[in-house]
């Protein structure tokens, strides 16, 4: 009986560890593959960024957010909000190389840990930003940029045990 339970446990562990990619891939690549999939295929939700008031919210719900930016004198800009339910590193995937800054609920700047304008896993990724967030609400501000819109996917950098 114990051998059957152990075999079942080992099988379920193996299935969970390969759910988002091959075990031979580095962990960052697994997250990039997942981010790329949603950047390419969605599902998608349209969002109109704001410059004033309460920004619309986005989430790390395996969804692509097609964000329309506001036209201004210095280019297109706009903000969205993100509620981090868990204190962890999050990866912001962008379809364009658009400047992004992050602030917490009190307006203090949050430092981006790592940024890149591409990924070896996916040519659709034009911006990849890793940011450590605590539990709380944050504002992502895009621009200024000549682009009128940007697509965003947010994923947890640690992808263990997620489900679609």
């Amino acid at each position: 009986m114990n051998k059957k339970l152990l075999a079942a446990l080992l099988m379920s562990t193996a299935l969970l560890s390969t759910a988002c990619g091959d075990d031979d891939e580095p962990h960052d690549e697994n997250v990039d593959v997942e981010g790329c999939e949603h950047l390419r295929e969605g599902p998608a939700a349209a969002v109109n960024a704001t410059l004033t008031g309460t920004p619309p919210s986005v989430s790390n719900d395996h969804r692509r957010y097609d964000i329309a930016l506001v036209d201004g004198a210095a280019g297109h800009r706009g903000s969205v909000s993100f509620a981090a339910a868990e204190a962890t590193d999050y990866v912001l995937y962008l379809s364009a190389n658009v400047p992004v800054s992050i602030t917490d609920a009190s307006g203090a700047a949050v430092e981006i840990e790592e940024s890149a304008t591409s990924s070896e896993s996916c040519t659709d990724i034009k911006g990849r930003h890793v940011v450590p967030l605590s539990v709380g609400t944050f504002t992502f501000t895009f621009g200024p940029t000549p682009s009128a819109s940007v697509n965003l996917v947010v994923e947890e950098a640690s992808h263990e045990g997620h489900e679609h």
Side-chain angles (χ1 to χ4, degrees):
M1 178 86 168
N2 286 341
K3 288 182 182 180
K4 287 182 182 180
L5 287 173
L6 179 60
L9 176 64
L10 291 174
M11 179 62 100
S12 63
T13 302
L15 289 173
L16 280 175
S17 69
T18 58
C20 279
D22 186 33
D23 267 350
D24 295 331
E25 291 182 83
H27 198 63
D28 281 353
E29 283 187 29
N30 287 339
V31 177
D32 284 3
V33 168
E34 179 78 11
C36 183
E37 175 187 330
H38 295 300
L39 202 56
R40 280 185 183 150
E41 301 170 14
V47 174
N48 292 318
T50 63
L51 294 176
T52 59
T54 303
S57 63
V58 298
S59 184
N60 61 322
D61 56 359
H62 304 287
R63 178 178 310 270
R64 181 186 73 226
Y65 290 91
D66 300 337
I67 302 171
L69 301 174
V70 180
D71 192 15
H76 295 88
R77 302 180 56 125
S79 297
V80 297
S81 67
F82 174 76
E86 184 177 343
T88 189
D89 287 355
Y90 290 87
V91 185
L92 282 60
Y93 293 101
L94 304 175
S95 62
N97 184 10
V98 173
V100 60
S101 60
I102 301 167
T103 54
D104 65 16
S106 66
V110 176
E111 186 174 338
I112 294 173
E113 192 171 86
E114 176 186 327
S115 287
T117 56
S118 65
S119 168
E120 291 180 15
S121 301
C122 176
T123 58
D124 291 325
I125 296 172
K126 304 298 184 199
R128 181 187 187 281
H129 307 282
V130 179
V131 60
L133 299 177
S134 57
V135 173
T137 302
F138 297 86
T139 301
F140 302 161
T141 301
F142 303 97
T145 179
S147 300
S149 66
V150 64
N151 299 333
L152 167 71
V153 173
V154 181
E155 294 284 345
E156 287 185 24
S158 172
H159 222 55
E160 297 173 21
H162 90 284
E163 293 181 17
H164 285 256

